[in-house]
Amino acid sequence: MILELDCGNSLIKWRVLDSCSGVVAAQGASSCAAGLLGELGSLVHLRILRARLVSVRSDQETTEICTRISDALSVHVQSAAPAKELGGVINGYLEYERLGMDRWLAMVGAFQLKRDAMLVLDLGTAVTADLVDAQGVHLGGFICPGISLLRSQLHAHTQRIRYSMDEAPAASCTLEPGRTTVEAVERGCLSMLDSFVSTQIRQAGDRFGAAFSVYATGGDAGLIKDIGQVQRIPDLVFRGLAIACP
């Protein structure tokens, strides 16, 4: 069994993969290393032989996570590193080391699905959009705040926008104009996300013509389910991680 970890800005997402069949035996998410170890502690029945990890957290925090997992499970933790080229994709950043590893591995994972022009969206704490041409050349991308950041900024910088997060799911089920504060904020943030994605798809079409794919991953990918051209692939980063740390 292989333990795979995606250490994002908000959550440490993990899964245990059968290396022979590719079947996911267990999966979950935690906000910190202590919580992660608590969840992994219940998996004593799974024989984890090694681990691989991708992280956008600080070097210090990433090292701490690797060390604690290695000590707890007695396995080597392999960490994905920046690369100029991987899996047929050529890094398009002027300083390739500065491209976020989650974005990079999502592109690499997506390119294995269909080696053609594509738009890769990662919708999490931050929302990213990256363009890759049919030759695998990364043309660059965009970064903007995700819904959780948009919401938190409104809560932090406006005095009268206050509501319980328990109200949010029901308030964001439609894009009709909101008649309460929670509806107005949640639908406004969702509308901004929807508009960003639609703009990226339109611009990709202007560049590539009709022959390109759109892939979406990340915790908020389900919020754009009504945009028909988008293929939601929840494990794009893990697919890229398997190539970076075979």
Side-chain angles (χ1 to χ4, degrees):
M1 294 286 185
I2 301 173
L3 172 63
E4 299 182 320
L5 303 107
D6 174 9
C7 304
N9 292 297
S10 300
L11 293 174
I12 302 174
K13 298 172 284 292
W14 62 269
R15 70 181 188 180
V16 178
L17 193 70
D18 187 308
S19 56
C20 296
S21 66
V23 173
V24 177
Q27 59 186 332
S30 181
S31 60
C32 62
L36 170 67
L37 293 175
E39 293 184 1
L40 296 180
S42 65
L43 305 179
V44 292
H45 61 290
L46 298 177
R47 191 162 176 258
I48 298 174
L49 299 178
R50 67 189 189 92
R52 54 192 177 209
L53 169 150
V54 56
S55 177
V56 298
R57 301 193 176 196
S58 69
D59 291 343
Q60 179 179 352
E61 188 172 0
T62 300
T63 299
E64 179 188 355
I65 293 171
C66 290
T67 300
R68 295 185 69 170
I69 290 172
S70 181
D71 291 345
L73 302 179
S74 299
V75 297
H76 172 66
V77 182
Q78 188 178 5
S79 184
K84 292 183 178 180
E85 184 173 354
L86 181 66
V89 182
I90 300 171
N91 195 315
Y93 257 31
L94 299 177
E95 299 176 76
Y96 76 92
E97 305 94 335
R98 296 182 65 85
L99 176 62
M101 286 300 300
D102 50 351
R103 291 171 62 193
W104 174 235
L105 294 187
M107 285 185 274
V108 171
F111 199 64
Q112 313 314 306
L113 297 172
K114 184 178 181 181
R115 297 197 170 217
D116 204 349
M118 62 183 60
L119 170 66
V120 181
L121 303 162
D122 193 340
L123 286 69
T125 303
V127 171
T128 63
D130 286 284
L131 293 161
V132 179
D133 70 15
Q135 288 70 48
V137 178
H138 173 220
L139 305 178
F142 301 87
I143 304 173
C144 69
I147 282 186
S148 62
L149 283 179
L150 292 173
R151 180 193 296 123
S152 65
Q153 287 300 299
L154 283 172
H155 285 198
H157 297 289
T158 55
Q159 294 185 14
R160 293 186 177 273
I161 293 184
R162 298 287 186 275
Y163 55 86
S164 168
M165 285 309 302
D166 293 337
E167 304 174 72
S172 58
C173 60
T174 176
L175 286 180
E176 287 295 310
R179 300 183 66 186
T180 65
T181 297
V182 61
E183 289 179 351
V185 171
E186 293 300 317
R187 295 174 190 179
C189 292
L190 182 58
S191 180
M192 291 187 71
L193 178 66
D194 187 82
S195 296
F196 175 81
V197 170
S198 297
T199 297
Q200 295 306 313
I201 294 174
R202 184 176 66 253
Q203 291 181 344
D206 292 341
R207 180 180 293 270
F208 296 135
F212 72 99
S213 301
V214 183
Y215 300 108
T217 194
D220 285 342
L223 297 177
I224 57 170
K225 59 183 181 295
D226 294 333
I227 303 179
Q229 190 174 349
V230 178
Q231 301 177 58
R232 288 185 291 149
I233 313 290
D235 64 346
L236 269 187
V237 174
F238 284 134
R239 290 172 185 244
L241 177 60
I243 295 171
C245 302

